[in-house]
Amino acid sequence: MLKGKDMLSIHDLSVDEVQEILALAKELKAKQKAGVPHKILKGKTLGMIFEKSSTRTRVSFETGMYQLGGQALFLSNRDLQLGRGEPIRDTARVLSRYLDGIMIRTFGHDRALELAKWADIPVINALTDLLHPCQVLTDLLTIEEYKGKNLKGLKMAYVGDGNNMTNSFLYGCAKVGMTFVAATPEDYRPDATVFKNALEDAKETGASLSLVTDPYEAVKDADIV
């Protein structure tokens, strides 16, 4: 269902696709722990563009590709012409000839969108200033594992500023039917367009999304904080 598709935002995924990702991740994790071969990406190469460095993102993507039988290539600004003024479209076209997928961790979300527009291969958003979808999908899987039941109906409270994680939690919780309450300062709320989109997504699953300023109100009766 997801073959050949970009992963830029959880909002772009259907409810079934989110469930498919979580189910496959659970299956592959079990196989890894049991020592069962699962080289489903044998012969595939992922280019990883890091305009914003991260220990955990690099290690997790490289390890994941290795465990799945593929190869990961670390590409910093020093390794790409992007760091010397080459347009994103040219980098996307060149990398598409060599690679099977591109992961990008960058600043403005528009850079990830432009890369995906010009690339002929799938592009994965490993973090932009607006969204952090891979992290939220991982968190949802962890919650499912710890709670031992379906995510639908569980309440998550978030306390902090309305950043890329808050935005992606809005999308993620909407897609799986959770209740999500974000307590943020009035001037640090999540992106207004993201919140509007997430409310539309929530109509399909019955999820409840709300924004408050009082952390105590947010965490009341929460299953996850």
Side-chain angles (χ1 to χ4, degrees):
M1 186 185 293
L2 289 160
K3 188 175 181 178
K5 194 168 184 178
D6 296 324
M7 227 305 283
L8 301 174
S9 168
I10 297 173
H11 176 59
D12 298 333
L13 303 173
S14 69
V15 171
D16 288 343
E17 285 171 339
V18 171
Q19 293 299 336
E20 181 186 352
I21 290 171
L22 296 176
L24 179 60
K26 189 181 295 184
E27 176 189 335
L28 294 175
K29 186 174 181 179
K31 286 182 177 180
Q32 178 67 23
K33 285 188 173 182
V36 178
H38 51 288
K39 308 299 183 182
I40 61 175
L41 293 181
K42 185 177 180 180
K44 303 295 184 182
T45 304
L46 176 72
M48 307 187 304
I49 299 175
F50 280 85
E51 295 187 317
K52 196 172 188 178
S53 60
S54 168
T55 302
R56 281 159 286 278
T57 301
R58 178 175 179 178
V59 172
S60 60
F61 269 90
E62 286 195 8
T63 302
M65 283 300 291
Y66 173 77
Q67 291 175 353
L68 295 172
Q71 172 77 30
L73 298 178
F74 173 77
L75 302 169
S76 71
N77 277 343
R78 294 189 301 274
D79 306 308
L80 296 170
Q81 301 297 341
L82 269 176
R84 293 181 285 279
E86 180 177 89
I88 289 178
R89 65 177 181 273
D90 291 343
T91 296
R93 286 165 171 165
V94 170
L95 293 180
S96 294
R97 296 179 188 138
Y98 295 100
L99 305 171
D100 300 290
I102 303 170
M103 180 225 84
I104 184 167
R105 181 179 172 92
T106 187
F107 295 90
H109 191 68
D110 58 319
R111 291 182 69 76
L113 293 176
E114 188 176 0
L115 183 68
K117 175 183 176 181
W118 294 105
D120 297 323
I121 54 178
V123 173
I124 299 169
N125 173 10
L127 178 137
T128 66
D129 290 348
L130 181 68
L131 297 171
H132 200 355
C134 294
Q135 178 67 61
V136 165
L137 288 169
T138 304
D139 288 349
L140 291 177
L141 176 65
T142 301
I143 292 165
E144 199 172 74
E145 289 175 334
Y146 272 82
K147 290 297 180 181
K149 57 183 177 180
N150 192 281
L151 294 168
K152 190 176 180 67
L154 292 178
K155 178 183 176 180
M156 177 190 287
Y158 174 90
V159 179
D161 62 331
N163 55 20
N164 48 15
M165 282 299 295
T166 328
N167 292 334
S168 286
F169 271 130
L170 283 165
Y171 282 151
C173 291
K175 293 289 184 179
V176 297
M178 292 177 68
T179 294
F180 179 73
V181 183
T184 67
E186 193 70 51
D187 295 335
Y188 292 90
R189 295 211 151 183
D191 183 84
T193 300
V194 168
F195 186 52
K196 180 181 177 182
N197 291 339
L199 289 174
E200 285 298 314
D201 290 342
K203 292 177 182 178
E204 184 177 352
T205 61
S208 172
L209 311 174
S210 56
L211 306 178
V212 299
T213 55
D214 182 0
Y216 293 99
E217 179 184 348
V219 301
K220 185 180 179 182
D221 300 323
D223 298 289
I224 309 101
V225 179

